[in-house]
Amino acid sequence: MPYPINATRRFPSSKIAIALLATIFLAFNVQWIWHYRSSQILDIDEAGYLGLAISNYRALMSGGLLSWIQQVEAPSIQAPITTALASLLFALTGPSVIAGMAIPLLAGTTTIVATYFLARCLIPTSGALLTAALVASCPIIATYSRSFHFAMPATAIITLALACMLRSRQFSSLYWASLFGIFLGLLPLARTMAIGFLPGLIIGAGVQVAAKRSEIHRRLLIFALSLLIGTTTAATWLLFNGSIVFGYLFNFGYGNRAAEFGTKQSMTNVASWLTTAQTFLDYIYLPHALVLISGLLASAFIAFKSLRRQGPTKSANQLIRSPIFSLILILAAGIVALTSSQNKGSAFIAPLIPLAFVIAAYLIHKSSQNRMLQGGAIAAGSTICILATVPLLSTSSALAYPREIHLPILGWWAKVTDGRGTIQLYEKGMIDAGKDDQTPVAFSPSEPLSRSHEKAYGSLIDSVSRELQSDPLGKLGVVFGFRHYLLNINSVRLSAMLSGSDIQPLAQVEPVVTGDTVAGYYNWLIHGEASNACLLLTLSGNGGQFSPIVTKPFLLQAAQKAGFIYYREWLTPSGQKLGLWKRTQGARACNKPMGRI
């Protein structure tokens, strides 16, 4: 079956339209980042990733390109593309949180354009533009384009790979097939968890090749070459980091560390699939979810009409030869990969979102050739785009306040509007975790922490960072005996790096690994990762800490037994006491001159 749209045909006016859409998306989000992320606190992942970017930047400045490559290739579980690109940008701007935010934002903008070209291979111009607009207004795409995370680079790369796959005309074009291979190889370098999407992509591409009999040997050869290009591209980093990356993925995806993110459920359990559906709903919100549901209903209508007219055999053959079949396979494989683990992560579903909207748009378009119905679908989609975009422009807007409705059959609460970005949701998580401490913080639903409270935490982080840098014992090792949303090893180290210094080595307690017992913590402090640490930080109460929370009496007993003595404390903006301990006793005592107290 031939593709419904000739992807190589030129539409100058549509290119102007997609360029305008991308520009508007870029401009709105630049304004939001400047207003809400300038001099603002970061979440623990953002701080850690920016620290990696600064390390790459320093290697580039001190040792040139070869030193930069060695630093990027250094053993790490974190995919290198986002941090490597940010470090190159820092060479022009200097290390800056705001400058770093440009990389995910540009990836989000690229995703919008790539979505248009992917959809344009299947549906007319108006539908492709609307699909790109739906993706641009989708909350998960907008919010993660405003955060220093890996979600958007991975989303841009997989969408580009899919567009190249369809443009290869079932791998008859060496040029587009080669580009597909490059993006295929770049995907795990954009986000390590995206390795889980590779089997679906390869299977879907293989189906593209097999669906057409003519020139099968030539196209198989081109397909094989694209896979070789992809493997070579991925090997530029995975060759040096593959073993630790796969160990990390299986531990956090299916091993002991996955238990931190949810209860393990069987793939045959309906509840596990409902959890995945809930995850999609939580990230894209109800208005956009209705578009995907409409696509499902349209697919049922198309299937019923085809079976009635052609019977099951001809209908199946027609579906398999259709380009949409491989896309459905890729989407289904991605959903299976996500459902197989209880760890749904931070926007792990993001790379599937543009694909899901393209499939839905195609099915809705194919379900009816009636111009009036198609016009109604475009009007409805445009309305959703506008209503979804307005709350995302400013957290002070009345529409930005979180609104939910109850879905009685499923028992879920579904978001309708919510103007908060990832950092505001992160701050809310911290506040919710601190309710047992009765944290005296006034906040609104759209802006959980006041600017003064954010600045107070920023000042505390800088103060702790300076203290650890100035104490000679800090150079031997620092350990955090708590797991706080804002005050953690990543935020403190980033503060030092932005000031031109550094703090190493740092370690943070992990109850899942050590065991939440006195013996487990003592063994960690004497023989484990923290065995060389001379400084220990502790925090009173459980406020603002993420699970699993350390049982503080157990940790304190272990610390005193391991030779740590209490030296000083700070008062946090939430009223908790942050304590500094030094190891001066026992076999592991640090025989170095004491720093100031």
Side-chain angles (χ1 to χ4, degrees):
M1 177 181 175
Y3 283 39
I5 297 296
N6 184 349
T8 62
R9 190 175 172 186
R10 304 300 184 200
F11 292 89
S13 61
S14 65
K15 290 183 177 181
I16 294 172
I18 190 59
L20 181 61
L21 175 63
T23 302
I24 292 171
F25 177 85
L26 187 65
F28 281 165
N29 286 296
V30 164
Q31 180 272 334
W32 197 96
I33 290 171
W34 183 257
H35 185 75
Y36 293 104
R37 302 310 309 266
S38 180
S39 302
Q40 191 188 38
I41 51 180
L42 304 168
D43 71 42
I44 188 170
D45 288 337
E46 288 180 308
Y49 301 153
L50 281 163
L52 291 174
I54 294 175
S55 294
N56 293 341
Y57 160 77
R58 288 179 174 177
L60 178 64
M61 292 294 100
S62 62
L65 184 60
L66 181 59
S67 177
W68 177 80
I69 292 173
Q70 291 173 340
Q71 181 64 34
V72 171
E73 296 284 4
S76 174
I77 58 174
Q78 303 298 347
I81 284 181
T82 303
T83 51
L85 290 176
S87 69
L88 295 176
L89 184 59
F90 291 162
L92 300 175
T93 66
S96 164
V97 172
I98 291 298
M101 295 286 179
I103 302 302
L105 178 54
L106 290 173
T109 307
T110 301
T111 299
I112 308 309
V113 177
T115 299
Y116 166 77
F117 284 107
L118 174 60
R120 189 65 192 87
C121 293
L122 300 167
I123 57 179
T125 304
S126 57
L129 286 170
L130 178 57
T131 305
L134 283 166
V135 171
S137 61
C138 189
I140 188 174
I141 301 298
T143 55
Y144 278 87
S145 294
R146 301 164 171 177
S147 308
F148 196 77
H149 282 273
F150 298 165
M152 291 321 301
T155 303
I157 287 171
I158 199 171
T159 309
L160 287 167
L162 292 169
C164 291
M165 182 185 76
L166 290 194
R167 287 199 155 213
S168 73
R169 311 296 291 177
Q170 296 165 303
F171 289 83
S172 60
S173 167
L174 178 60
Y175 173 76
W176 289 109
S178 298
L179 286 178
F180 168 77
I182 291 171
F183 290 124
L184 191 72
L186 288 176
L187 186 57
L189 275 61
R191 193 171 196 181
T192 50
M193 63 72 51
I195 290 173
F197 296 142
L198 290 178
L201 275 168
I202 294 170
I203 292 171
V207 168
Q208 285 263 304
V209 177
K212 182 180 177 183
R213 293 184 180 180
S214 63
E215 297 184 309
I216 184 67
H217 296 296
R218 177 178 177 272
R219 292 186 297 104
L220 276 172
L221 184 60
I222 292 175
F223 176 53
L225 180 61
S226 72
L227 295 183
L228 178 61
I229 292 172
T231 302
T232 304
T233 303
T236 58
W237 183 72
L238 285 178
L239 185 65
F240 308 99
N241 295 275
S243 60
I244 60 174
V245 164
F246 282 97
Y248 162 77
L249 287 177
F250 277 94
N251 192 14
F252 274 82
Y254 306 98
N256 292 335
R257 299 301 300 274
E260 296 182 23
F261 304 95
T263 304
K264 177 67 176 175
Q265 295 176 325
S266 168
M267 290 285 287
T268 60
N269 189 342
V270 175
S272 62
W273 296 95
L274 290 176
T275 300
T276 301
Q278 176 76 72
T279 302
F280 272 82
L281 186 59
D282 290 343
Y283 274 115
I284 70 174
Y285 305 171
L286 185 59
H288 279 75
L290 291 176
V291 176
L292 300 185
I293 293 170
S294 298
L296 284 174
L297 294 175
S299 69
F301 175 74
I302 293 170
F304 173 77
K305 188 167 64 172
S306 179
L307 286 171
R308 191 181 66 175
R309 289 181 178 178
Q310 302 180 107
T313 302
K314 285 188 176 180
S315 296
N317 286 334
Q318 187 178 48
L319 174 62
I320 292 171
R321 292 177 182 276
S322 167
I324 200 66
F325 181 64
S326 61
L327 297 184
I328 293 173
L329 277 180
I330 293 168
L331 177 61
I335 292 173
V336 168
L338 291 171
T339 306
S340 67
S341 171
Q342 64 262 48
N343 182 2
K344 301 299 186 285
S346 298
F348 281 0
I349 71 166
L352 301 180
I353 296 302
L355 172 60
F357 279 107
V358 168
I359 292 172
Y362 171 84
L363 293 170
I364 292 170
H365 171 74
K366 293 295 290 184
S367 64
S368 175
Q369 300 302 314
N370 184 291
R371 287 184 176 271
M372 185 174 294
L373 289 177
Q374 289 183 353
I378 289 175
S382 300
T383 301
I384 288 173
C385 290
I386 295 170
L387 294 178
T389 299
V390 173
L392 297 172
L393 299 180
S394 169
T395 62
S396 60
S397 164
L399 290 176
Y401 273 58
R403 290 177 176 82
E404 298 180 332
I405 63 171
H406 187 253
L407 304 179
I409 297 177
L410 295 172
W412 295 343
W413 284 93
K415 284 186 182 181
V416 179
T417 61
D418 192 342
R420 295 172 295 181
T422 58
I423 191 61
Q424 284 85 22
L425 294 170
Y426 188 79
E427 290 170 355
K428 182 180 183 301
M430 182 193 117
I431 292 171
D432 289 344
K435 284 180 179 177
D436 61 330
D437 285 353
Q438 297 180 335
T439 307
V441 181
F443 64 93
S444 71
S446 59
E447 295 189 74
L449 286 185
S450 65
R451 290 300 176 92
S452 61
H453 207 71
E454 289 175 350
K455 289 181 179 178
Y457 261 109
S459 297
L460 174 63
I461 290 168
D462 291 341
S463 177
V464 173
S465 176
R466 288 192 297 268
E467 177 77 16
L468 298 181
Q469 292 175 67
S470 64
D471 193 322
L473 295 182
K475 295 179 174 61
L476 301 177
V478 181
V479 61
F480 281 58
F482 55 91
R483 298 152 56 82
H484 195 267
Y485 275 81
L486 301 180
L487 182 63
N488 49 65
I489 58 174
N490 288 349
S491 62
V492 169
R493 183 174 183 233
L494 179 63
S495 173
M497 297 184 81
L498 287 172
S499 68
S501 184
D502 202 349
I503 307 173
Q504 288 191 24
L506 289 169
Q508 183 168 272
V509 64
E510 298 181 82
V512 170
V513 176
T514 63
D516 189 29
T517 64
V518 174
Y521 294 135
Y522 177 74
N523 183 66
W524 177 60
L525 291 169
I526 295 296
H527 304 293
E529 185 185 17
S531 60
N532 293 324
C534 294
L535 301 180
L536 167 68
L537 290 166
T538 59
L539 188 66
S540 65
N542 295 330
Q545 298 188 55
F546 52 86
S547 297
I549 294 175
V550 175
T551 301
K552 190 181 176 186
F554 294 167
L555 179 69
L556 295 185
Q557 289 181 50
Q560 291 167 348
K561 187 178 177 181
F564 283 95
I565 293 179
Y566 197 73
Y567 267 79
R568 67 158 295 180
E569 67 183 31
W570 295 265
L571 191 66
T572 74
S574 298
Q576 296 167 273
K577 293 180 179 179
L578 175 67
L580 175 65
W581 301 63
K582 299 187 179 183
R583 195 184 324 235
T584 60
Q585 300 177 352
R588 293 284 181 176
C590 300
N591 299 315
K592 295 283 182 180
M594 286 295 172
R596 62 183 176 82
I597 299 175

